[in-house]
Amino acid sequence: MLARDIQINGIVQGVGFRPHVAKLARSLGCTGWVLNNTNGVEIHIQHIDEEVLACFEKHVVENAPFAAHVLSISSKDAPVANCKEFLIRTSEQGSSKSTLVSPDLATCPDCLRELFDPHDRRYHYPFINCTNCGPRFTIIEDLPYDRPVTSMRPFEMCPACQSEYEDDADRRYHAQPNACFGCGPQLWWATSEDATQDINTTLDRPAVSGQGVPRPHGPMSREGRTAENGLEASDELIERAASELEAGRILAIKGLGGWHLSCDAENETVVATLRQRKHRPSKPLAIMVRDIDAARHLAYIDDAEEQLLCNAARPIVLLKKREPSSLATGIAGELPEIGIMLPSTPVQHLLMHATNKPLVMTSANISGEPIIADDDEAFSALSAIADAFLGNNRKIVSRYDDSVARIAYDGRVQMVRRARGYAPTPLIVNAPAVDTAHTPVIFAAGPEQKATFATLADSRIFISQHLGDLERRGSWLAWEQARERYEHLFDTNPQVIACDMHPEYLASKWARRTAQEHGLPLVEVQHHHAHIASVMGENGLAGPVIGIALDGTGYGTDKTIWGGELLIATRGSFERFWHLPCFKLPGGAAAIRNPQRTAYAILQAYGRLDDAFFGQFSPDNPQFAPFLEELEERELLDQMLAKDINSPICSSAGRLFDAASALLGICSHPSYDGEAACLLEAHAHAASMPSSKHGHPPLTAWSFHEGLIMAIIEQALRAREETGITELALGGGCMVNRIVSRLLEERLRDCGFNVYVNRELPPNDGCIAHGQAIVAQARLEE
Ligand code: ZN
Ligand code: ZN
Ligand code: FE
């Protein structure tokens, strides 16, 4: 008899891993046991045949349950124990806080089959789940992950659910959110009048609204069971929601990580109404369709995109829109891309099944703030927007926005916003020269916009979900809330704090204050160094690298605003090798809101006010005459620029895109962050399409992209010549621009560079906290 002890670390608890191990071991005729321990799963396996043990080790990882995420496996020979069968043992020490739990997972195929099987006891049950799917971090209050420390606590399992939960051969073995019509959460319905009343009333008022359908006693803070709501009543609510949507009304629908606003995506009028009520004139709206076939009617979808749409995180996937389209033009305006997601919860599956229409499914939030999760908050913020509410009585503990991703030109996933379904799966610190075992716990406070924070401990970096723009009060509160929760969940007391070197960022101010109060070392990190360090961290590079950050804005070491930077960087330090020629931003933030100002300042700074046309259009006229005629407040701008009144100096690539957009008359008054640049890209994209008719702006938009990229490559070549470095890291918010990322990456590779980009994190400021942690760790090593 041979015996072996195997330790598997990663996301292996609460995902059906022990039953998987037991089943495999038994099928191979092995004896032994499996149990959860502090780091993951511990296995003792015995058999007379060495080959069988090898086979077990291979398949235990290769055929792991799909929600599992194995980070490491180690195995060693062990003394033979006296055992006659293979057992799942209860953990002696219980699972610890350092154990990883999976993020929220979309309804799995098995549950989906039951959901639509009229003979199943969970037929049409809107909260069906199992060990392979369902809510996780959106319901967890504490770890180790166990039902009493989730918002499933008020729902006591019925005998049928309980016996599934206890049966190690059942696919609901230890599924913490396990539930059914007899014992679990239920839907409720409220009109916006109900909601308005609700805000003004207190506890314990009779809570029945319309046709005997139960809704909670007041708002969600009193979550828990309120009344029987069986199949019929539940179906009726889904039907009602579907018919209201089809009738052109706007619904607020409670999802996994927060509330969505929904309406018929093919109804021009209701989409316009939603935009008007939400004060969101033009930012694209995400839509949800029933399945992949429905998605194909609206967008071009290749294999990689299909995989991304269907993966268990169910992100919003940015896809190339089909034209002509049945969608309302108000969904995404002139943009060639559309954001589509597939249903991730049983409620969404039921709803999409009841209506055959694509639905707008946009985060219910106040602009720049994270998604609304709380029922009270939903009632007060959304009563003026939604006509009715489809809610449920399970509390959302942590808010998670929908994640946004796309497939890049080379087939890789490019993350744009990392939240539900991804966070807080940690990244592994991948540092060739760093002794990760002895690094103290580092807390990185992150940036100001697209905020996340990060905690580095034991060679893992936990990066929070996207938390919005911190200058918004709601976002700041969400940041603090999430920070406290992560610190509690992962039991991490920061020993070192890292932050952006910007003097005014709220997260940086918090970091400086906290470091001082607790006497902790503080590492201040330059914004674009963090961008490059994040790319290095994700790719296991020690540097030095040529780091190119094409970005909006970040505070520079010379106190000016940076953003078009070529750095020679290691993880711990950098040197500014080159940057875009500087220009002024007349009015600072006002110039960001009105790119005409930036455009004018750039024409002045670059000496281009009187440039002639280079094209065939009008060789004798100054190229920018039409722009200058349109320009508002030119005299004021002249004064501000001449006297340096509130006109910070910058080298931002993002602002350059804004300015080009304004110069071409494409967008001079953006209504959301990045709109001018997105529309410029859309115009350039049009110029690259062989069939389309296009005029001067698309062509010029395209040559602007070309020109900028050529200038950057020239500098990269110069940097290589002077330093001999061929490793090149590309980052910054402009890398979300498809044309920029494709042309730059391809051409730099053609020039012989080894090009690296962000992999699991977005290239925009969603990676900054990670980069700060990487820099802090490297500095501590030095
Ligand atoms: Zn399932
Ligand atoms: Zn039950
Ligand atoms: Fe940035």
Side-chain angles (χ1 to χ4, degrees), residues 121 158 161 179-180 182-183:
R121 73 185 191 91
C158 68
C161 288
C180 72
C183 65

Side-chain angles (χ1 to χ4, degrees), residues 446-448 476 499-513 522 524-527 553-562 648 772:
E448 179 92 336
W476 176 248
C499 70
D500 195 287
M501 59 190 293
H502 199 293
E504 296 300 326
Y505 281 5
L506 284 175
S508 299
K509 287 179 166 176
W510 175 93
R512 290 179 195 114
R513 203 170 56 236
L522 178 74
E524 299 205 15
V525 181
Q526 200 280 323
H527 186 90
T553 55
Y555 193 76
T557 51
D558 60 358
K559 300 186 167 129
T560 69
I561 298 171
W562 294 9
Q772 290 169 353

Side-chain angles (χ1 to χ4, degrees), residues 561 582-605 627 631-650 655 658-659:
I561 298 171
C582 288
F583 50 88
K584 290 177 185 171
L585 291 176
I592 298 177
R593 284 192 301 272
N594 179 359
Q596 284 186 333
R597 289 179 163 221
T598 315
Y600 183 64
I602 288 178
L603 291 183
Q604 266 206 5
F627 165 78
L631 183 66
E632 298 153 15
E633 307 170 302
R634 182 168 174 176
E635 274 162 41
L636 175 74
L637 294 179
D638 280 333
Q639 273 186 18
M640 291 177 86
L641 291 168
K643 295 180 188 162
D644 262 332
I645 303 166
N646 186 22
S647 298
I649 292 173
C650 87
R655 298 291 83 82
D658 291 354

Side-chain angles (χ1 to χ4, degrees), residues 66 104-109 292 303-317 341-344 403 405 407 413 415 420-422:
F66 94 114
D104 292 20
L105 297 161
T107 310
C108 74
I292 188 76
D303 290 350
E305 286 165 333
E306 175 174 347
Q307 249 182 38
L308 185 57
L309 274 166
C310 296
N311 90 16
R314 287 290 195 282
I316 296 169
V317 181
M341 69 176 145
L342 298 183
S344 58
S403 294
I407 298 295
V413 174
M415 199 58 74
R420 180 182 53 74
Y422 293 95

Side-chain angles (χ1 to χ4, degrees), residues 447 449 500 505 527-528 531 549-554 562-563 731-734 763-768:
Q449 292 187 323
D500 195 287
Y505 281 5
H527 186 90
H528 303 100
H531 270 294
L550 298 179
D551 199 34
T553 55
W562 294 9
C734 299
N764 58 36
D765 284 5
C767 77
I768 289 295

Side-chain angles (χ1 to χ4, degrees), residues 24 44 174 189 215 314 344 447 452 508 653 665 677 696 740 751:
L24 178 65
H44 179 85
H174 278 209
W189 178 271
R215 45 182 308 266
R314 287 290 195 282
S344 58
T452 59
S508 299
H696 166 59
V740 172
C751 294

